[in-house]
Each structure stands twice: as C-alpha cells, then as structure tokens.
Amino acid sequence: MTQTTKTSQPKSPEAPGRMVEHSFDITGMTCASCARRVEKTLASHPGVAEAGVNFAMEKATVKVAPDVDPHRLVEAVEDAGYGLLPKDAAASHGGHGEHDHGIAIGGEEDMTRVAWRRFLVAALLTTPVLVLAMSGLMHGWAAWLQLALITPVQFWAGRAFLVSAWKQARHRATNMDTLIAIGTLAAYFYSLYSLTLGHGDIYFETAGVIISFLLLGKYFEHRSKSRASHAIRSLLELGAKEALVLRDGTGISVPIEEVRIGDVVLVKPGEKVPADGVVRVGETSIDESMLTGEPVPVDKAAGDEVYAATVNAAGSIEVEVTRTGSDTALAQIAKLVEDAQGRKAPIEHLADRVAGVFVPVVIGIALASFAGWLLTGHDFESSLIAAVAVLIIACPCAMGLATPAAIMVGTGRGASLGIVIKGGEVLERSGAIDTVVVDKTGTITQGKMKLTDVITDPGPGAVSDQELLRLAASLESLSEHPIAAAIVAGASDRGISPSPVTGFLSTSGRGVTAELDGRRITVGRRSMLRGEPSQEVTAAVDRLQSEGKTVIWLGDDEGVLGAIAVADTLKPSAPRAMARLHELGLRTVLITGDNKAAAAAVAAQVGIDEVYAEVLPEDKVEHVKRLQGQQRRVAMVGDGINDAPALAQADLGIAIGTGADVAIEAADLTLVGGDPLLAAAAIDLSRRTLGNIKQNLFWAFFYNVVAIPAAALGLLNPMIAAAAMAFSSVSVVLNSLRLKRFRPQG
C-alpha cells in the first residue's frame, strides 16, 4: 500500500527561518498506522518544521532548524520502536547510476523474498493441520502434531504481526495487527490449555489459516512496493555508459562518470547523447521522443541544446557538456518521478481506522464476559470459554479477507481483459477520480508517422499522384528519418517501388536532393524549392498544417511539383474511449508536447474537453498539480518516459503497456494491449471492485456486531464461533466472485 503522511507545526521560537532538509530510510514499519506513528514522532520533535513519511518507499523527509542534531531524530524514532537510517548523501556526480538520489534498489526486493518464504512455510505447515481438523482428528497424537506444526507458524511466520501489535500496545494504540495477534494467540493458547488438560476443543487451524492468508497479502504488498524503485532505476539506465571526449583533437572513450562540464564530446549517428550540452560543430536530427514523446526528430545545429540519453539520428556533432549526473534532464525526470511518488495523497485503510475503536471494544467485551460469568457463579473454564469465543469470533478473518478477496478477483478479471491493477490503494483512489488527463502520442494516437495525403501542383510540369509519390520515395529511401520511412512505407502500401538515384545530397534539417530520370529532384522544406506553388496547393497545405500534419514539399529545376503530408494517426478506439469516459462522469484533458494545431485537431476528432499543447515533461507534472489544486481527483494516461513524472504525481496513473517500462512502473494501472478504451474499463472495474470491498467490510463488521454479544452470553462456544467465522469468510469470498461477471462497455 502507498502511505504518505505530512504534518507541519509552528517552528520553535529558537528555530531560525532557514530550514535544513534531511532524508532517512525507515525500518520496522508493517502497516499504514506505523507510518503515521513515525511521522507523528518526527513532527513533534523540537525544532522540526515539517515531517513527511512515505510508507511505500519507507522514506522520511524532515525539515528542521540548522541546530537540530539528526541523531536526536534517530533516537526519537528508535524509542518509538522503529529504525531511522540517514540516507547516503554521496550520490554520484557524474553518471546516471542506480544509486543517484539515494535510491535503495535491493532492500524491498529482499523483503519481498522474505515475505514469500514466510508465507510458503506457513501454508505448508498449516495445510496438514487443516486436513486433520476437517477429518475430526482433534485428540491424542493428532492434537500434539497440530501443536508442533502451528507453533512455528504462530511465532516465526506470524512474528511481524505480534511485533507490530506489541509496538502499538507500548504506545497505548491498536491496529489490525493487534486484532490479528489477539485472535490468533487466543486460539493458540486456548488450544494449548485444552490439550494440556486432556479435554476440550482445539483451534490450532484457526490461527494457522488466518496467519497464512495475511502473509500472502503481505507478500503482494512488498512486491508492489518494490516496483517504486524499479521505475527510477529503469530511467537512469537509459543514459549512455561511455562518452567519446575530444582532448587535443583526439577522441578518448571514457566512462560517463568521468565526463565533466566543459568537455567536448563527439556524438556519431545512432549514438546516445552522453550528457546535456550545446552543439558546437555540425548539424543533425535528434530523436527526443524519450523526453517529449513526439515521434519527429528535432533538427539541431550549432548553438542548439541537446539532452542526455536522446539519440543522434543523422550526422556527427560535437557537443560541449553543460550538465552532468543529477543535473541532466534525464536525472531531473527521475527525481520528479521519485518526488511525485512521495507526494501521493494519504490512503487511510478503513480496516485500520475501525480497528482503532473495534479492538479495545472487543478486548473489553471479552474481559467483561470472563468477569461476568465468574461473578454469576460459573466455573473458571466456562468463563474462559466465553471470553475466548468472543476473541475468536472477533478475529479479523472476514475483515482480513474483505479486501484481498475482492482485489484478487477484480485484478484477475482485469488481467483477463488486459488491465493490470497494482494494489488495493489503487482501487480506493480510482473511486474518487473525476478528471482524466491523456497524453497524445502513443496514447490516443499510434505513436508513429504515416502517409496521409499526396497533393500535386497543376502547373506546367504537373505529375500524377503516383509519380509524385515515386519521386519522393526514391529519394527518401536513402534516409533513416522517421518521416522518410513513413513516405517509403506509404508508397509501398500503394504498390510503388523506389527508383535508383544518383548524386544524393542531404542537408540536415532542410531536406534531400538527387538526380532521378535526368533531372534534379528536391524533397524537403519549402525554402529549398524554386518557383512558387499554385494557390490551390498553398490552400491545401495550409489546411493540412491546421490539422496538425507535417508537410514535405517536392520540386525540380523548373519549380514546385507538389507536397506530401504525414501524421501520427489516431488509434481506432480513441473516440469511443473518450465517449465512455464521459459516460462515467469524467472530464477529459489532453496534455501534449506537440504543437497547438495538432493538439486541437486531435482533441476535436476524439471529443476531449480541455487541451494543453507544447508542454514539457516537467510542465506536465505542474499541469496535473494545478488540476489537483482545483480540488480535482486526476487520473493520468500516458505511455512515454516523459509521462512518468505526471503518472506518478496523478492520483491514479494509467500506463499504456506498449510504452516505456518506466511509465509502466510509475503507473498504478497498466493497459497491456495499448487500447485507450481499456482506460475507461479499468476505471469502471476499479470502482466496482472498490464497491465490492466496501460491501465485504460492511458484512464482516455487521457479522461481528451480531455475533460478539451472542458469544459473550455463552450462546456460541469456540467451536461454533470458529465455524461462524468460517461462514462469514465464505460469504465474503462468494460476494467477491461476482466481479468475475464484469463486462467492459463501449
């Protein structure tokens, strides 16, 4: 689960205005209430102006007065029962390594393996105990065997629940772990008491089953949390590993960590730019799609900025390095992702909130039952049975199953539809979503250029559409530019093959020329052509450009021959996807790095409510924040690296599964097939699953409200209480299974 809390308090009188920020790793947290306790401990410390705790990343950020000793904060948190470790400030200054920003990659993965191992042991030891109990073998050697098998489950596999309950008790607080500890220990020790006396019922299987189910939930929780650091690591791994630095006129290959500001690096065609910098020599086209999301490479010449990890698509260039390491655009995006993940809105778990009241009440009722039975003349054993019946029937098996059962069925149904849901808190957030922000390229469009229009000039040298396309494809077949590839592919689709050319010459950023059929043909920008196009062609080109299409001109020595348009075309289901989002009562917003004309044209075609164009990656985050500042609950749908920070910042991040790994890792939901219509289905399914969880919790608590008084009055002995508890769990599972019938609409 993702839990972030943040508390501010007035500065202490002696604290000067300037604050110092410290970051810490936290150990020992097992649930959302642990994060709240650590945060409260830090915030109440003298000299602390602000404290924030991110449960998912097990990280604390504290703003303090300069005279506050961080070791005092560590001691305060340790006194509260948790560990606080100062993060290593010595982050790499040169490269994009996975330790930048203090990211601990392996810790959560280790905890995931530990959680799986504990669940596996618990399940393997509990299964034979359950079989013996269901077979009626509850006495003699069978009972002692059950004790031997369940003891390590109770005290080793379930140790985390007991430790957490003890920490809560030390601070006079309770949570779901308290309820788990009391219920399982009551079943275990009462069974041990009965076994020792040689008569009475035993309930070892009750403790084992509860612990096994909850450990499975812990495993999925740790696995989900470990993905947070994967998003940042995969981003940082995109950077170049080496650079060709020019020193005394000679290129020397050095590790990226050794590149310094002021170095001049040589970047050849097909290579990644090693660091942010300015082009000093040469012209080229740079594929910046990993930053901007747009498929068309950007022309670069002397004086233009280039960015680390973007790809040089054309000529060789010399770049003077201006930013390295954590200062590059790539590293800043990684930092934006990390910061946005840490700013998630607090997710308060209903079961934990209710447990804060429910647990003390249950303990009080059990003690009152025990005392009441003794005071009314009953013997010790009868009084103990009544008290244990209360504790067993209150044990949170149904409550513990309420969320994971619905999530298991809901996420399973989502997976069969191509929707990957990452956890229960995702479902909780999706229920409140009222605004859906979508990226353009790769999300509602195909993400690659496609030939759309061929326009011929009717002048004296007029040629047919087929001939114009043959001329263009013949020259562009020698280029690796995405627009050239789109023209060649479009010609091929129409049965047109390129012809051989001679004297091919490419002018970076402008176009290409070559000899074909005894004349000089030019394909590129309007400024490269001789003569003037007809009014008919000019009007057609203006119309195409207003629709957001990219236009390439063709001409020969005599004048203009015509123009060809390419564009990133819509995905077929995009209009229906936006219509379905509107049916769900959601407002739609388009955010793109593309130009205003292209953005407006796409928004009009698919029916999007608001449009923001020419937006940089960091600005996407700001737009999401601005919408959230208007009290909107925002879902973000995107596919690119440039979308990752906004996906992490949004209340609900939805990644297109055909996109970048970092976008998928930063998101809460992933649409495996890339169909935008699944975004509406995902939100619909999440809402229904959330509703199912609430139904399950209601009936689980309602059952306790009715059954606990009956147990206290002696109407339910522990055996019947265990059976009733099992029935409540079955009802929760059956209700959850209704989600299998979910069918997406639209």
Side-chain angles (χ1 to χ4, degrees), residues 593-656:
D594 208 349
N595 63 72
K596 293 181 180 179
V602 168
Q605 290 179 65
V606 299
I608 291 178
D609 301 318
E610 299 177 43
V611 181
Y612 299 98
E614 299 176 5
V615 178
L616 297 174
E618 57 271 24
D619 294 333
K620 288 187 179 183
V621 175
E622 293 304 317
H623 277 291
V624 171
K625 287 182 184 177
R626 185 181 58 78
L627 292 170
Q628 291 171 326
Q630 298 171 1
Q631 306 306 311
R632 297 203 210 178
R633 298 302 297 273
V634 180
M636 170 74 189
V637 188
D639 76 316
I641 293 167
N642 60 305
D643 299 319
L647 287 168
Q649 172 65 37
D651 299 290
L652 183 70
I654 304 176
I656 300 296

Side-chain angles (χ1 to χ4, degrees), residues 295 448-453 486 547-550 565-570:
K448 59 181 181 180
M449 307 302 287
K450 184 177 181 181
L451 177 67
T452 58
D453 302 89
E547 295 173 358
K549 296 179 179 179
T550 300
V566 296
D568 184 8
T569 56
L570 286 176

Side-chain angles (χ1 to χ4, degrees), residues 249-432:
T250 304
I252 302 173
S253 182
V254 301
I256 190 63
E257 291 81 8
E258 296 181 13
V259 174
R260 297 290 179 263
I261 294 174
D263 283 346
V264 176
V265 296
L266 177 65
V267 186
K268 299 177 181 178
E271 292 182 346
K272 292 181 179 179
V273 178
D276 290 5
V278 176
V279 177
R280 292 304 181 208
V281 178
E283 294 182 345
T284 189
S285 294
I286 299 288
D287 180 357
E288 295 183 346
S289 58
M290 56 81 62
L291 286 178
T292 66
E294 302 311 317
V296 181
V298 180
D299 296 328
K300 301 288 184 179
D304 291 334
E305 280 195 287
V306 293
Y307 305 98
T310 57
V311 180
N312 183 12
S316 295
I317 52 173
E318 294 180 11
V319 176
E320 181 181 340
V321 175
T322 57
R323 289 184 296 271
T324 63
S326 59
D327 294 326
T328 64
L330 175 66
Q332 289 302 310
I333 289 179
K335 186 66 167 61
L336 285 170
V337 173
E338 183 183 12
D339 289 347
Q341 286 175 332
R343 286 193 298 266
K344 291 282 190 191
I347 302 300
E348 304 288 346
H349 280 255
L350 179 60
D352 269 344
R353 292 202 300 271
V354 175
V357 176
F358 182 69
V359 175
V361 170
V362 168
I363 295 173
I365 293 173
L367 292 174
S369 299
F370 180 74
W373 278 67
L374 279 178
L375 292 174
T376 53
H378 294 86
D379 59 25
F380 176 82
E381 186 172 346
S382 298
S383 303
L384 182 62
I385 287 174
V388 170
V390 170
L391 294 173
I392 288 178
I393 207 155
C395 195
C397 198
M399 285 185 280
L401 280 174
T403 297
I407 290 174
M408 190 177 299
V409 178
T411 54
R413 180 59 185 142
S416 68
L417 296 171
I419 303 166
V420 179
I421 303 171
K422 290 190 177 178
E425 77 281 3
V426 173
L427 301 169
E428 187 170 346
R429 278 184 267 125
S430 68

Side-chain angles (χ1 to χ4, degrees), residues 569-725:
T569 56
L570 286 176
K571 291 183 177 179
S573 62
R576 286 184 290 123
M578 297 304 109
R580 179 59 185 147
L581 289 172
H582 289 144
E583 290 172 5
L584 292 172
L586 301 166
R587 186 167 182 80
T588 53
V589 179
L590 179 67
I591 293 183
T592 176
D594 208 349
N595 63 72
K596 293 181 180 179
V602 168
Q605 290 179 65
V606 299
I608 291 178
D609 301 318
E610 299 177 43
V611 181
Y612 299 98
E614 299 176 5
V615 178
L616 297 174
E618 57 271 24
D619 294 333
K620 288 187 179 183
V621 175
E622 293 304 317
H623 277 291
V624 171
K625 287 182 184 177
R626 185 181 58 78
L627 292 170
Q628 291 171 326
Q630 298 171 1
Q631 306 306 311
R632 297 203 210 178
R633 298 302 297 273
V634 180
M636 170 74 189
V637 188
D639 76 316
I641 293 167
N642 60 305
D643 299 319
L647 287 168
Q649 172 65 37
D651 299 290
L652 183 70
I654 304 176
I656 300 296
T658 53
D661 288 344
V662 67
I664 294 171
E665 297 291 358
D668 304 301
L669 293 168
T670 299
L671 313 181
V672 176
D675 185 350
L677 191 58
L678 286 176
I683 292 175
D684 192 9
L685 175 60
S686 296
R687 286 179 173 181
R688 296 196 191 191
T689 305
L690 177 62
N692 192 279
I693 290 172
K694 290 179 177 178
Q695 293 168 8
N696 289 346
L697 287 171
F698 170 79
W699 286 111
F701 285 121
F702 179 77
Y703 149 82
N704 277 301
V705 168
V706 173
I708 287 174
L713 294 172
L715 301 178
L716 297 176
N717 66 31
M719 179 66 77
I720 297 175
M725 184 184 67

